[in-house]
Amino acid sequence: FKIAVVTQGPQRGACFAVMVPNSLPNKPLASYATKISVIESATGLKFFTGLSASDRQKLESGHTTQLPLPTGN
């Protein structure tokens, strides 16, 4: 699994989470996109415990299939 969160700029708070099998993936990365809460359930790990409950809930429940990339400033 991988989780990326934008921490600065206009896309701040956007996240991209994927669960990719250990075998060589044969699909586009976006097809493995999932919610952070799904990764937490599957792994037993808890992410972003330093955030407030409301901020953590926003990250864990949302997801995008587009990797948030920096915009030209």
Short mmCIF file of all heavy atoms in Angstrom, two decimals:
data_model
loop_
_atom_site.label_atom_id
_atom_site.label_comp_id
_atom_site.label_asym_id
_atom_site.label_seq_id
_atom_site.Cartn_x
_atom_site.Cartn_y
_atom_site.Cartn_z
N PHE A 1 0.84 -1.18 0.00
CA PHE A 1 0.00 0.00 0.00
C PHE A 1 0.87 1.23 0.00
O PHE A 1 2.01 1.20 0.44
CB PHE A 1 -0.96 0.01 1.19
CG PHE A 1 -0.30 0.09 2.54
CD1 PHE A 1 0.00 1.32 3.10
CD2 PHE A 1 0.03 -1.05 3.24
CE1 PHE A 1 0.61 1.40 4.34
CE2 PHE A 1 0.63 -0.98 4.48
CZ PHE A 1 0.92 0.24 5.02
N LYS A 2 0.32 2.32 -0.50
CA LYS A 2 0.96 3.63 -0.48
C LYS A 2 -0.12 4.66 -0.23
O LYS A 2 -1.24 4.53 -0.71
CB LYS A 2 1.64 3.96 -1.81
CG LYS A 2 2.77 3.05 -2.19
CD LYS A 2 3.96 3.27 -1.29
CE LYS A 2 5.09 2.34 -1.74
NZ LYS A 2 6.12 2.18 -0.76
N ILE A 3 0.24 5.70 0.53
CA ILE A 3 -0.66 6.81 0.80
C ILE A 3 0.12 8.10 0.58
O ILE A 3 1.20 8.27 1.14
CB ILE A 3 -1.20 6.78 2.24
CG1 ILE A 3 -1.98 5.48 2.48
CG2 ILE A 3 -2.06 8.00 2.53
CD1 ILE A 3 -2.37 5.26 3.93
N ALA A 4 -0.42 8.98 -0.24
CA ALA A 4 0.19 10.29 -0.47
C ALA A 4 -0.82 11.36 -0.09
O ALA A 4 -1.99 11.28 -0.48
CB ALA A 4 0.59 10.44 -1.93
N VAL A 5 -0.37 12.36 0.66
CA VAL A 5 -1.23 13.47 1.08
C VAL A 5 -0.52 14.77 0.75
O VAL A 5 0.65 14.94 1.07
CB VAL A 5 -1.54 13.41 2.59
CG1 VAL A 5 -2.40 14.60 3.01
CG2 VAL A 5 -2.22 12.11 2.96
N VAL A 6 -1.22 15.69 0.11
CA VAL A 6 -0.68 17.00 -0.19
C VAL A 6 -0.76 17.84 1.08
O VAL A 6 -1.83 17.96 1.67
CB VAL A 6 -1.46 17.67 -1.34
CG1 VAL A 6 -0.92 19.07 -1.62
CG2 VAL A 6 -1.41 16.81 -2.59
N THR A 7 0.36 18.43 1.48
CA THR A 7 0.40 19.20 2.72
C THR A 7 0.52 20.70 2.52
O THR A 7 0.45 21.45 3.48
CB THR A 7 1.57 18.73 3.62
OG1 THR A 7 2.79 18.91 2.91
CG2 THR A 7 1.40 17.27 4.01
N GLN A 8 0.72 21.14 1.27
CA GLN A 8 0.85 22.56 1.00
C GLN A 8 0.17 22.91 -0.31
O GLN A 8 -0.05 22.04 -1.15
CB GLN A 8 2.33 22.95 0.89
CG GLN A 8 3.12 22.71 2.14
CD GLN A 8 4.59 23.07 1.94
OE1 GLN A 8 4.94 23.80 1.04
NE2 GLN A 8 5.44 22.55 2.81
N GLY A 9 -0.11 24.20 -0.47
CA GLY A 9 -0.64 24.68 -1.74
C GLY A 9 -2.14 24.51 -1.89
O GLY A 9 -2.84 24.11 -0.95
N PRO A 10 -2.64 24.80 -3.08
CA PRO A 10 -4.09 24.80 -3.29
C PRO A 10 -4.74 23.42 -3.19
O PRO A 10 -5.93 23.32 -2.96
CB PRO A 10 -4.25 25.37 -4.70
CG PRO A 10 -2.93 25.19 -5.35
CD PRO A 10 -1.90 25.21 -4.27
N GLN A 11 -3.97 22.36 -3.35
CA GLN A 11 -4.54 21.01 -3.24
C GLN A 11 -4.34 20.42 -1.85
O GLN A 11 -4.53 19.23 -1.64
CB GLN A 11 -3.91 20.09 -4.27
CG GLN A 11 -4.30 20.41 -5.70
CD GLN A 11 -3.70 19.42 -6.66
OE1 GLN A 11 -2.56 19.02 -6.54
NE2 GLN A 11 -4.49 19.02 -7.63
N ARG A 12 -3.98 21.26 -0.89
CA ARG A 12 -3.73 20.80 0.49
C ARG A 12 -4.88 19.93 0.97
O ARG A 12 -6.05 20.28 0.85
CB ARG A 12 -3.55 21.99 1.42
CG ARG A 12 -3.18 21.58 2.81
CD ARG A 12 -2.79 22.80 3.63
NE ARG A 12 -2.19 22.36 4.87
CZ ARG A 12 -2.76 22.52 6.06
NH1 ARG A 12 -3.91 23.15 6.15
NH2 ARG A 12 -2.17 22.07 7.13
N GLY A 13 -4.54 18.77 1.51
CA GLY A 13 -5.55 17.85 2.03
C GLY A 13 -5.97 16.79 1.04
O GLY A 13 -6.61 15.81 1.41
N ALA A 14 -5.61 16.95 -0.23
CA ALA A 14 -5.93 15.93 -1.22
C ALA A 14 -5.09 14.69 -0.91
O ALA A 14 -3.96 14.78 -0.47
CB ALA A 14 -5.63 16.43 -2.63
N CYS A 15 -5.67 13.51 -1.11
CA CYS A 15 -4.93 12.29 -0.83
C CYS A 15 -5.14 11.27 -1.93
O CYS A 15 -6.12 11.31 -2.67
CB CYS A 15 -5.31 11.72 0.52
SG CYS A 15 -7.00 11.13 0.61
N PHE A 16 -4.19 10.35 -2.02
CA PHE A 16 -4.24 9.27 -2.99
C PHE A 16 -3.74 8.04 -2.26
O PHE A 16 -2.62 8.02 -1.76
CB PHE A 16 -3.34 9.60 -4.18
CG PHE A 16 -3.34 8.56 -5.26
CD1 PHE A 16 -4.42 8.44 -6.11
CD2 PHE A 16 -2.25 7.72 -5.44
CE1 PHE A 16 -4.42 7.50 -7.13
CE2 PHE A 16 -2.24 6.78 -6.44
CZ PHE A 16 -3.33 6.67 -7.29
N ALA A 17 -4.57 7.03 -2.15
CA ALA A 17 -4.20 5.79 -1.46
C ALA A 17 -4.42 4.62 -2.39
O ALA A 17 -5.43 4.55 -3.09
CB ALA A 17 -5.05 5.63 -0.20
N VAL A 18 -3.46 3.70 -2.42
CA VAL A 18 -3.57 2.52 -3.27
C VAL A 18 -3.17 1.27 -2.49
O VAL A 18 -2.32 1.32 -1.61
CB VAL A 18 -2.69 2.61 -4.55
CG1 VAL A 18 -3.20 3.69 -5.48
CG2 VAL A 18 -1.25 2.84 -4.21
N MET A 19 -3.82 0.17 -2.83
CA MET A 19 -3.42 -1.15 -2.34
C MET A 19 -3.06 -1.97 -3.58
O MET A 19 -3.94 -2.34 -4.35
CB MET A 19 -4.54 -1.82 -1.56
CG MET A 19 -4.72 -1.27 -0.18
SD MET A 19 -5.93 -2.14 0.83
CE MET A 19 -5.23 -3.77 0.93
N VAL A 20 -1.77 -2.20 -3.75
CA VAL A 20 -1.26 -2.92 -4.93
C VAL A 20 -0.79 -4.30 -4.47
O VAL A 20 -0.12 -4.42 -3.45
CB VAL A 20 -0.08 -2.13 -5.56
CG1 VAL A 20 0.45 -2.83 -6.78
CG2 VAL A 20 -0.51 -0.71 -5.90
N PRO A 21 -1.13 -5.34 -5.22
CA PRO A 21 -0.68 -6.68 -4.83
C PRO A 21 0.85 -6.80 -4.90
O PRO A 21 1.51 -6.03 -5.60
CB PRO A 21 -1.34 -7.60 -5.87
CG PRO A 21 -1.69 -6.72 -7.01
CD PRO A 21 -1.89 -5.34 -6.46
N ASN A 22 1.41 -7.74 -4.16
CA ASN A 22 2.85 -7.94 -4.16
C ASN A 22 3.36 -8.45 -5.50
O ASN A 22 4.53 -8.31 -5.80
CB ASN A 22 3.26 -8.90 -3.04
CG ASN A 22 3.19 -8.23 -1.69
OD1 ASN A 22 3.36 -7.04 -1.57
ND2 ASN A 22 2.93 -9.02 -0.67
N SER A 23 2.49 -9.07 -6.27
CA SER A 23 2.90 -9.50 -7.60
C SER A 23 3.00 -8.29 -8.53
O SER A 23 2.51 -7.21 -8.21
CB SER A 23 1.89 -10.51 -8.17
OG SER A 23 0.62 -9.91 -8.27
N LEU A 24 3.61 -8.46 -9.65
CA LEU A 24 3.77 -7.38 -10.61
C LEU A 24 2.39 -6.91 -11.08
O LEU A 24 1.65 -7.68 -11.68
CB LEU A 24 4.61 -7.83 -11.80
CG LEU A 24 4.99 -6.77 -12.81
CD1 LEU A 24 5.83 -5.68 -12.14
CD2 LEU A 24 5.77 -7.39 -13.95
N PRO A 25 2.02 -5.65 -10.78
CA PRO A 25 0.70 -5.17 -11.19
C PRO A 25 0.60 -5.07 -12.71
O PRO A 25 1.56 -4.67 -13.37
CB PRO A 25 0.57 -3.80 -10.54
CG PRO A 25 1.90 -3.44 -10.03
CD PRO A 25 2.77 -4.65 -10.05
N ASN A 26 -0.55 -5.44 -13.23
CA ASN A 26 -0.75 -5.38 -14.68
C ASN A 26 -1.86 -4.41 -15.06
O ASN A 26 -2.37 -4.47 -16.16
CB ASN A 26 -1.03 -6.77 -15.24
CG ASN A 26 -2.26 -7.40 -14.61
OD1 ASN A 26 -2.88 -6.82 -13.72
ND2 ASN A 26 -2.62 -8.59 -15.05
N LYS A 27 -2.24 -3.55 -14.13
CA LYS A 27 -3.30 -2.56 -14.37
C LYS A 27 -2.72 -1.18 -14.07
O LYS A 27 -1.72 -1.05 -13.37
CB LYS A 27 -4.48 -2.80 -13.44
CG LYS A 27 -5.16 -4.13 -13.57
CD LYS A 27 -6.31 -4.17 -12.56
CE LYS A 27 -6.78 -5.57 -12.30
NZ LYS A 27 -7.79 -5.60 -11.23
N PRO A 28 -3.38 -0.14 -14.55
CA PRO A 28 -2.96 1.23 -14.19
C PRO A 28 -3.05 1.44 -12.67
O PRO A 28 -3.92 0.87 -12.01
CB PRO A 28 -3.95 2.13 -14.91
CG PRO A 28 -4.56 1.28 -15.97
CD PRO A 28 -4.51 -0.14 -15.46
N LEU A 29 -2.14 2.22 -12.13
CA LEU A 29 -2.11 2.48 -10.70
C LEU A 29 -3.45 2.95 -10.17
O LEU A 29 -3.89 2.55 -9.09
CB LEU A 29 -1.02 3.50 -10.37
CG LEU A 29 -0.72 3.75 -8.90
CD1 LEU A 29 -0.28 2.48 -8.21
CD2 LEU A 29 0.32 4.84 -8.75
N ALA A 30 -4.14 3.78 -10.94
CA ALA A 30 -5.43 4.32 -10.49
C ALA A 30 -6.46 3.23 -10.23
O ALA A 30 -7.38 3.41 -9.43
CB ALA A 30 -5.97 5.31 -11.51
N SER A 31 -6.33 2.07 -10.86
CA SER A 31 -7.31 1.00 -10.65
C SER A 31 -7.17 0.38 -9.26
O SER A 31 -8.05 -0.35 -8.83
CB SER A 31 -7.19 -0.06 -11.73
OG SER A 31 -5.95 -0.75 -11.62
N TYR A 32 -6.08 0.65 -8.56
CA TYR A 32 -5.87 0.14 -7.21
C TYR A 32 -6.22 1.17 -6.14
O TYR A 32 -6.01 0.94 -4.95
CB TYR A 32 -4.42 -0.31 -7.03
CG TYR A 32 -4.02 -1.44 -7.93
CD1 TYR A 32 -3.28 -1.21 -9.09
CD2 TYR A 32 -4.41 -2.75 -7.65
CE1 TYR A 32 -2.91 -2.25 -9.93
CE2 TYR A 32 -4.04 -3.79 -8.49
CZ TYR A 32 -3.30 -3.54 -9.62
OH TYR A 32 -2.94 -4.57 -10.45
N ALA A 33 -6.76 2.32 -6.56
CA ALA A 33 -7.10 3.38 -5.62
C ALA A 33 -8.16 2.91 -4.64
O ALA A 33 -9.08 2.15 -4.99
CB ALA A 33 -7.60 4.61 -6.37
N THR A 34 -8.04 3.35 -3.40
CA THR A 34 -8.98 2.97 -2.35
C THR A 34 -9.01 4.06 -1.29
O THR A 34 -8.29 5.05 -1.37
CB THR A 34 -8.60 1.61 -1.74
OG1 THR A 34 -9.64 1.17 -0.88
CG2 THR A 34 -7.29 1.68 -0.98
N LYS A 35 -9.81 3.88 -0.28
CA LYS A 35 -9.87 4.80 0.84
C LYS A 35 -8.81 4.41 1.87
O LYS A 35 -8.50 3.23 2.03
CB LYS A 35 -11.25 4.77 1.51
CG LYS A 35 -12.36 5.26 0.62
CD LYS A 35 -13.69 5.18 1.34
CE LYS A 35 -14.80 5.68 0.43
NZ LYS A 35 -16.11 5.60 1.08
N ILE A 36 -8.30 5.39 2.59
CA ILE A 36 -7.33 5.13 3.65
C ILE A 36 -7.94 4.22 4.70
O ILE A 36 -7.28 3.32 5.22
CB ILE A 36 -6.84 6.46 4.28
CG1 ILE A 36 -6.05 7.26 3.23
CG2 ILE A 36 -5.97 6.19 5.50
CD1 ILE A 36 -5.70 8.67 3.66
N SER A 37 -9.23 4.38 4.98
CA SER A 37 -9.88 3.54 5.99
C SER A 37 -9.88 2.07 5.57
O SER A 37 -9.80 1.19 6.43
CB SER A 37 -11.31 4.02 6.25
OG SER A 37 -12.07 4.01 5.06
N VAL A 38 -9.92 1.79 4.27
CA VAL A 38 -9.86 0.40 3.79
C VAL A 38 -8.47 -0.18 4.07
O VAL A 38 -8.33 -1.31 4.52
CB VAL A 38 -10.21 0.33 2.29
CG1 VAL A 38 -9.94 -1.05 1.72
CG2 VAL A 38 -11.66 0.72 2.07
N ILE A 39 -7.43 0.63 3.83
CA ILE A 39 -6.06 0.18 4.12
C ILE A 39 -5.88 -0.04 5.61
O ILE A 39 -5.28 -1.03 6.04
CB ILE A 39 -5.03 1.19 3.58
CG1 ILE A 39 -5.10 1.24 2.04
CG2 ILE A 39 -3.62 0.83 4.05
CD1 ILE A 39 -4.23 2.30 1.40
N GLU A 40 -6.44 0.86 6.43
CA GLU A 40 -6.34 0.69 7.88
C GLU A 40 -7.01 -0.61 8.33
O GLU A 40 -6.46 -1.35 9.15
CB GLU A 40 -6.97 1.88 8.60
CG GLU A 40 -6.16 3.14 8.49
CD GLU A 40 -6.78 4.31 9.22
OE1 GLU A 40 -8.02 4.41 9.26
OE2 GLU A 40 -6.01 5.14 9.74
N SER A 41 -8.17 -0.90 7.79
CA SER A 41 -8.88 -2.13 8.15
C SER A 41 -8.10 -3.37 7.73
O SER A 41 -8.03 -4.35 8.47
CB SER A 41 -10.27 -2.16 7.51
OG SER A 41 -11.09 -1.16 8.05
N ALA A 42 -7.52 -3.33 6.55
CA ALA A 42 -6.80 -4.49 6.03
C ALA A 42 -5.47 -4.74 6.76
O ALA A 42 -5.04 -5.88 6.90
CB ALA A 42 -6.54 -4.31 4.53
N THR A 43 -4.82 -3.66 7.22
CA THR A 43 -3.49 -3.80 7.82
C THR A 43 -3.49 -3.76 9.35
O THR A 43 -2.52 -4.18 9.97
CB THR A 43 -2.56 -2.67 7.34
OG1 THR A 43 -3.08 -1.41 7.79
CG2 THR A 43 -2.41 -2.69 5.83
N GLY A 44 -4.54 -3.23 9.95
CA GLY A 44 -4.56 -3.06 11.40
C GLY A 44 -3.76 -1.84 11.85
O GLY A 44 -3.60 -1.62 13.04
N LEU A 45 -3.27 -1.05 10.90
CA LEU A 45 -2.52 0.16 11.21
C LEU A 45 -3.45 1.36 11.27
O LEU A 45 -4.50 1.37 10.65
CB LEU A 45 -1.45 0.41 10.13
CG LEU A 45 -0.40 -0.68 9.95
CD1 LEU A 45 0.45 -0.39 8.72
CD2 LEU A 45 0.46 -0.80 11.19
N LYS A 46 -3.05 2.37 12.02
CA LYS A 46 -3.78 3.63 12.08
C LYS A 46 -2.87 4.74 11.60
O LYS A 46 -1.75 4.89 12.09
CB LYS A 46 -4.26 3.94 13.50
CG LYS A 46 -5.37 3.04 13.97
CD LYS A 46 -6.62 3.36 13.20
CE LYS A 46 -7.78 2.50 13.63
NZ LYS A 46 -8.91 2.65 12.74
N PHE A 47 -3.33 5.51 10.62
CA PHE A 47 -2.55 6.60 10.06
C PHE A 47 -3.07 7.94 10.55
O PHE A 47 -4.23 8.07 10.92
CB PHE A 47 -2.63 6.56 8.53
CG PHE A 47 -2.13 5.26 7.95
CD1 PHE A 47 -3.02 4.27 7.57
CD2 PHE A 47 -0.77 5.02 7.84
CE1 PHE A 47 -2.56 3.07 7.05
CE2 PHE A 47 -0.31 3.82 7.32
CZ PHE A 47 -1.21 2.84 6.93
N PHE A 48 -2.22 8.92 10.56
CA PHE A 48 -2.56 10.31 10.87
C PHE A 48 -3.16 10.48 12.27
O PHE A 48 -4.07 11.25 12.47
CB PHE A 48 -3.52 10.86 9.80
CG PHE A 48 -3.03 10.61 8.41
CD1 PHE A 48 -3.70 9.74 7.56
CD2 PHE A 48 -1.87 11.20 7.95
CE1 PHE A 48 -3.24 9.49 6.28
CE2 PHE A 48 -1.39 10.94 6.68
CZ PHE A 48 -2.08 10.09 5.84
N THR A 49 -2.61 9.77 13.23
CA THR A 49 -3.13 9.85 14.60
C THR A 49 -2.86 11.20 15.25
O THR A 49 -3.49 11.53 16.24
CB THR A 49 -2.54 8.73 15.47
OG1 THR A 49 -1.11 8.82 15.43
CG2 THR A 49 -2.97 7.36 14.96
N GLY A 50 -1.95 12.00 14.67
CA GLY A 50 -1.66 13.32 15.21
C GLY A 50 -2.65 14.39 14.77
O GLY A 50 -2.60 15.51 15.26
N LEU A 51 -3.55 14.05 13.87
CA LEU A 51 -4.55 15.01 13.38
C LEU A 51 -5.77 15.00 14.29
O LEU A 51 -6.02 14.04 15.01
CB LEU A 51 -5.00 14.64 11.97
CG LEU A 51 -3.96 14.71 10.86
CD1 LEU A 51 -4.58 14.26 9.55
CD2 LEU A 51 -3.40 16.11 10.73
N SER A 52 -6.55 16.06 14.20
CA SER A 52 -7.81 16.08 14.94
C SER A 52 -8.72 15.01 14.37
O SER A 52 -8.55 14.56 13.22
CB SER A 52 -8.48 17.45 14.81
OG SER A 52 -8.93 17.64 13.47
N ALA A 53 -9.70 14.59 15.13
CA ALA A 53 -10.62 13.54 14.69
C ALA A 53 -11.34 13.93 13.40
O ALA A 53 -11.51 13.11 12.50
CB ALA A 53 -11.63 13.22 15.79
N SER A 54 -11.74 15.20 13.29
CA SER A 54 -12.47 15.62 12.09
C SER A 54 -11.56 15.64 10.86
O SER A 54 -11.96 15.21 9.77
CB SER A 54 -13.14 16.98 12.29
OG SER A 54 -12.17 17.98 12.51
N ASP A 55 -10.31 16.11 11.01
CA ASP A 55 -9.38 16.10 9.88
C ASP A 55 -9.02 14.68 9.47
O ASP A 55 -8.92 14.36 8.29
CB ASP A 55 -8.11 16.88 10.22
CG ASP A 55 -8.32 18.38 10.24
OD1 ASP A 55 -9.35 18.85 9.69
OD2 ASP A 55 -7.48 19.09 10.82
N ARG A 56 -8.83 13.80 10.44
CA ARG A 56 -8.51 12.41 10.16
C ARG A 56 -9.67 11.74 9.43
O ARG A 56 -9.47 11.01 8.46
CB ARG A 56 -8.17 11.67 11.45
CG ARG A 56 -7.59 10.29 11.22
CD ARG A 56 -7.04 9.65 12.49
NE ARG A 56 -8.04 9.57 13.54
CZ ARG A 56 -8.01 10.25 14.68
NH1 ARG A 56 -7.02 11.09 14.92
NH2 ARG A 56 -8.95 10.11 15.58
N GLN A 57 -10.89 12.02 9.84
CA GLN A 57 -12.07 11.45 9.20
C GLN A 57 -12.17 11.89 7.74
O GLN A 57 -12.49 11.09 6.86
CB GLN A 57 -13.34 11.84 9.96
CG GLN A 57 -14.62 11.38 9.33
CD GLN A 57 -14.73 9.86 9.23
OE1 GLN A 57 -14.18 9.15 10.06
NE2 GLN A 57 -15.42 9.37 8.22
N LYS A 58 -11.87 13.15 7.46
CA LYS A 58 -11.91 13.65 6.09
C LYS A 58 -10.92 12.88 5.21
O LYS A 58 -11.24 12.50 4.09
CB LYS A 58 -11.58 15.14 6.05
CG LYS A 58 -12.67 16.03 6.57
CD LYS A 58 -12.21 17.47 6.56
CE LYS A 58 -13.13 18.34 7.39
NZ LYS A 58 -12.60 19.70 7.52
N LEU A 59 -9.70 12.68 5.71
CA LEU A 59 -8.70 11.96 4.94
C LEU A 59 -9.08 10.48 4.76
O LEU A 59 -8.95 9.92 3.68
CB LEU A 59 -7.33 12.03 5.62
CG LEU A 59 -6.53 13.30 5.43
CD1 LEU A 59 -5.24 13.23 6.24
CD2 LEU A 59 -6.22 13.54 3.97
N GLU A 60 -9.53 9.85 5.83
CA GLU A 60 -9.80 8.42 5.79
C GLU A 60 -11.00 8.05 4.93
O GLU A 60 -11.06 6.97 4.38
CB GLU A 60 -10.00 7.88 7.21
CG GLU A 60 -8.72 7.89 8.03
CD GLU A 60 -8.92 7.46 9.46
OE1 GLU A 60 -10.07 7.23 9.87
OE2 GLU A 60 -7.91 7.35 10.18
N SER A 61 -11.96 8.93 4.82
CA SER A 61 -13.18 8.58 4.10
C SER A 61 -13.14 8.97 2.64
O SER A 61 -13.89 8.44 1.83
CB SER A 61 -14.40 9.21 4.77
OG SER A 61 -14.28 10.62 4.72
N GLY A 62 -12.27 9.89 2.28
CA GLY A 62 -12.21 10.34 0.90
C GLY A 62 -11.06 9.70 0.15
O GLY A 62 -10.14 9.16 0.75
N HIS A 63 -11.15 9.71 -1.14
CA HIS A 63 -10.04 9.27 -1.97
C HIS A 63 -10.24 9.77 -3.39
O HIS A 63 -11.32 10.16 -3.77
CB HIS A 63 -9.86 7.76 -1.94
CG HIS A 63 -10.83 6.99 -2.79
ND1 HIS A 63 -12.15 6.82 -2.44
CD2 HIS A 63 -10.66 6.35 -3.97
CE1 HIS A 63 -12.75 6.11 -3.37
NE2 HIS A 63 -11.88 5.81 -4.31
N THR A 64 -9.17 9.74 -4.13
CA THR A 64 -9.22 10.14 -5.52
C THR A 64 -8.47 9.11 -6.34
O THR A 64 -7.60 8.42 -5.82
CB THR A 64 -8.60 11.54 -5.72
OG1 THR A 64 -8.66 11.86 -7.11
CG2 THR A 64 -7.16 11.61 -5.26
N THR A 65 -8.82 8.99 -7.59
CA THR A 65 -8.08 8.08 -8.46
C THR A 65 -7.01 8.83 -9.23
O THR A 65 -6.31 8.25 -10.04
CB THR A 65 -9.03 7.37 -9.45
OG1 THR A 65 -9.71 8.36 -10.23
CG2 THR A 65 -10.02 6.51 -8.73
N GLN A 66 -6.88 10.13 -8.96
CA GLN A 66 -5.85 10.94 -9.60
C GLN A 66 -4.80 11.32 -8.56
O GLN A 66 -5.12 11.90 -7.55
CB GLN A 66 -6.46 12.23 -10.19
CG GLN A 66 -7.47 11.98 -11.27
CD GLN A 66 -6.84 11.35 -12.50
OE1 GLN A 66 -5.79 11.75 -12.92
NE2 GLN A 66 -7.50 10.34 -13.06
N LEU A 67 -3.56 10.99 -8.84
CA LEU A 67 -2.48 11.36 -7.93
C LEU A 67 -2.38 12.87 -7.90
O LEU A 67 -2.24 13.51 -8.95
CB LEU A 67 -1.15 10.76 -8.40
CG LEU A 67 0.06 11.03 -7.54
CD1 LEU A 67 -0.15 10.47 -6.14
CD2 LEU A 67 1.29 10.42 -8.17
N PRO A 68 -2.49 13.49 -6.71
CA PRO A 68 -2.41 14.95 -6.64
C PRO A 68 -0.99 15.42 -6.95
O PRO A 68 -0.07 15.11 -6.23
CB PRO A 68 -2.82 15.27 -5.20
CG PRO A 68 -2.79 14.00 -4.45
CD PRO A 68 -2.73 12.87 -5.43
N LEU A 69 -0.82 16.13 -8.02
CA LEU A 69 0.48 16.62 -8.42
C LEU A 69 0.56 18.12 -8.20
O LEU A 69 -0.45 18.83 -8.29
CB LEU A 69 0.73 16.30 -9.91
CG LEU A 69 0.75 14.81 -10.24
CD1 LEU A 69 0.84 14.62 -11.75
CD2 LEU A 69 1.90 14.10 -9.54
N PRO A 70 1.77 18.63 -7.93
CA PRO A 70 1.90 20.08 -7.73
C PRO A 70 1.53 20.86 -8.97
O PRO A 70 1.75 20.40 -10.09
CB PRO A 70 3.39 20.28 -7.40
CG PRO A 70 4.02 18.95 -7.46
CD PRO A 70 3.01 17.93 -7.83
N THR A 71 0.94 22.01 -8.77
CA THR A 71 0.61 22.89 -9.90
C THR A 71 1.72 23.91 -10.04
O THR A 71 2.39 24.25 -9.05
CB THR A 71 -0.74 23.61 -9.66
OG1 THR A 71 -0.65 24.31 -8.42
CG2 THR A 71 -1.88 22.62 -9.61
N GLY A 72 1.94 24.40 -11.23
CA GLY A 72 2.97 25.42 -11.44
C GLY A 72 2.63 26.70 -10.75
O GLY A 72 1.54 27.22 -10.90
N ASN A 73 3.55 27.21 -9.92
CA ASN A 73 3.30 28.45 -9.19
C ASN A 73 4.16 29.55 -9.76
O ASN A 73 5.26 29.48 -10.00
CB ASN A 73 3.55 28.30 -7.71
CG ASN A 73 2.56 27.38 -7.04
OD1 ASN A 73 1.52 27.07 -7.59
ND2 ASN A 73 2.88 26.95 -5.85
#
